[in-house]
Amino acid sequence: MQQIKQRRRVLGLALDGPTIWLSYLLLYVWPWVIEPPRPLEWQASLVAAPVFLVAYYLSFDLRGRAAWPGIAVIMLLSLGLGHLTAAASIVSLFAVMIAVQSQRGKVRRYWLIGMTAVTALCVVTGWVSWIFALGAVFFGALMAAATAANCQLQDQAEQLIRAQAQAEALAVMTERERISRDLHDIVGQSFSTIVLKSDLASRVFEDAPEHARKELEDINAVGRGALHEIRSVIRGLNQSTLLAATAQVRTLLDAADIELSFANSAENLPDSIEHALAMVMREAVTNVVRHAEASTCTIAIHERDGSIQMEISDNGRGGPIVFGHGLGGIKRRVADLGGVFEISAQTPRGVKISVNFQMDRGGRS
């Protein structure tokens, strides 16, 4: 498993690394200070030392089945040396530590039970002394508890880091979706206005040059305004107002020769709701111009029974409602603020969009 956190170091040694724990081997050689070891004892220890170190270092950071050979080798070395000295019970602590930190769930319990059972069998057969077994079981239990607690803390830390990474990734996705929706609404309306006005300018260029000049000036203003809004969206500063959105949709509808009926009785709206209403209005009106073939468009915004409602309807060709990127973006934008979005074909013709937000007049959002 890839290490998620940096190991803490003291005097160059990692506190949660393999080398620092070798200090426990001092308990193995301590009896030699009191009484010199027998030749077979120190010779066997000398031969076992490199085997132990290789198995220990190779298996310390392993997880799952990959650590099994190292656990088995260290435990066999402990039992083998235990035939010569009870101090070899210290070696079994390393097998216990690796088993606890490398295994999880039932597998961990099986390893601990298995090592205990093998130790008990060796005592019964007289291979190791009861002092060896007592030291292995007692200190092994302490090592298992300490290692398990440390593993739990590491698991929790890794879970928190993963959760934080997921939250950051979700925030990035949310921000990308916000930028995508806002750019779609801004670019869609602005380019629709530019296309309509450029067509109109080209038609009247020869007969009414002043009129054409006015349309070109409007195109310039729309383009500059769109560029400013796009930059604001990218910086996360875009907060469209109903006043600005109303002027923009009026310009677009005028260019498309669609009569607008507008009414707004809502005041002092929260910024987030006003921005959402403004963007929904822009996208809905852009769809009217592009697809409805309408001659009139009605927009009504009012506050009623603690809620803000906006209705946008047209007298266009109506027909089946197809959710594309635009309508889908409107629906998600409204849902993000806990609002309700509805769209329906009208009788005898036309389409009606309705947006509803519950209001909390306790404070602005």
Side-chain angles (χ1 to χ4, degrees):
M1 178 184 298
Q2 183 179 2
Q3 294 296 319
I4 293 183
K5 63 183 184 61
Q6 294 291 330
R7 284 175 164 165
R8 298 165 295 167
R9 295 182 178 273
V10 174
L11 299 178
L13 296 180
L15 296 179
D16 53 350
T19 304
I20 195 73
W21 300 109
L22 292 178
S23 58
Y24 279 102
L25 292 178
L26 292 175
L27 297 176
Y28 180 84
V29 299
W30 177 252
W32 297 357
V33 178
I34 301 174
E35 181 180 353
R38 292 170 294 171
L40 182 59
E41 182 180 339
W42 69 262
Q43 291 171 1
S45 300
L46 189 62
V47 172
V51 179
F52 164 79
L53 291 175
V54 170
Y56 174 64
Y57 274 100
L58 290 181
S59 59
F60 187 86
D61 284 324
L62 297 180
R63 297 293 183 267
R65 292 185 178 182
W68 290 6
I71 300 171
V73 168
I74 294 173
M75 191 63 193
L76 290 175
L77 289 175
S78 175
L79 293 172
L81 295 173
H83 185 65
L84 303 174
T85 173
S89 61
I90 296 300
V91 178
S92 67
L93 302 188
F94 295 92
V96 170
M97 176 175 60
I98 294 175
V100 171
Q101 72 181 13
S102 65
Q103 311 301 313
R104 293 293 186 270
K106 293 182 179 180
V107 178
R108 174 191 289 177
R109 291 196 294 270
Y110 291 156
W111 269 105
L112 295 179
I113 293 173
M115 287 188 287
T116 303
V118 171
T119 301
L121 180 62
C122 290
V123 173
V124 172
T125 60
W127 179 260
V128 298
S129 66
W130 65 270
I131 297 178
F132 173 95
L134 181 63
V137 173
F138 179 75
F139 291 107
L142 294 179
M143 176 64 74
T147 306
N150 184 59
C151 290
Q152 184 176 9
L153 290 176
Q154 289 183 357
D155 290 344
Q156 291 175 348
E158 291 176 0
Q159 290 174 2
L160 289 175
I161 292 173
R162 292 191 185 98
Q164 182 179 3
Q166 291 174 353
E168 292 175 353
L170 180 60
V172 171
M173 290 177 60
T174 301
E175 182 65 6
R176 286 177 177 173
E177 184 176 354
R178 178 195 68 80
I179 293 175
S180 175
R181 286 199 306 257
D182 284 2
L183 288 179
H184 177 274
D185 296 347
I186 291 170
V187 172
Q189 182 198 348
S190 299
F191 273 86
S192 295
T193 304
I194 290 172
V195 168
L196 289 172
K197 284 187 170 291
S198 61
D199 287 343
L200 180 59
S202 64
R203 289 198 304 267
V204 301
F205 183 77
E206 295 183 357
D207 297 334
E210 291 301 322
H211 188 181
R213 181 187 298 275
K214 175 63 170 58
E215 297 299 334
L216 292 175
E217 291 175 352
D218 289 345
I219 291 173
N220 182 275
V222 171
R224 290 180 180 275
L227 181 61
H228 173 74
E229 287 191 278
I230 289 172
R231 288 172 175 170
S232 298
V233 166
I234 295 174
R235 293 195 302 265
L237 303 176
N238 184 53
Q239 285 292 329
S240 295
T241 64
L242 282 173
L243 182 62
T246 302
Q248 290 160 348
V249 300
R250 191 181 298 277
T251 299
L252 176 59
L253 291 172
D254 285 345
D257 197 23
I258 298 176
E259 181 181 353
L260 171 64
S261 175
F262 180 83
N264 180 10
S265 60
E267 297 179 351
N268 299 323
L269 297 178
D271 294 339
S272 58
I273 292 181
E274 182 172 3
H275 174 69
L277 291 176
M279 299 305 287
V280 170
M281 181 196 302
R282 294 173 63 157
E283 175 61 22
V285 170
T286 300
N287 284 340
V288 170
V289 172
R290 285 179 174 176
H291 310 298
E293 299 178 5
S295 61
T296 64
C297 178
T298 301
I299 302 175
I301 304 173
H302 50 265
E303 183 174 356
R304 179 185 301 167
D305 298 330
S307 66
I308 293 296
Q309 296 178 346
M310 180 172 69
E311 296 179 350
I312 303 174
S313 60
D314 64 77
N315 66 343
R317 57 191 178 88
I321 306 300
V322 179
F323 274 81
H325 186 76
L327 289 178
I330 291 177
K331 188 174 183 179
R332 288 191 297 272
R333 185 188 298 278
V334 174
D336 288 345
L337 295 177
V340 178
F341 168 79
E342 295 179 351
I343 182 171
S344 59
Q346 299 298 291
T347 303
R349 54 185 302 180
V351 172
K352 178 180 178 181
I353 289 178
S354 177
V355 174
N356 186 298
F357 291 105
Q358 292 298 315
M359 287 289 295
D360 179 10
R361 286 301 187 180
R364 292 174 65 86
S365 58

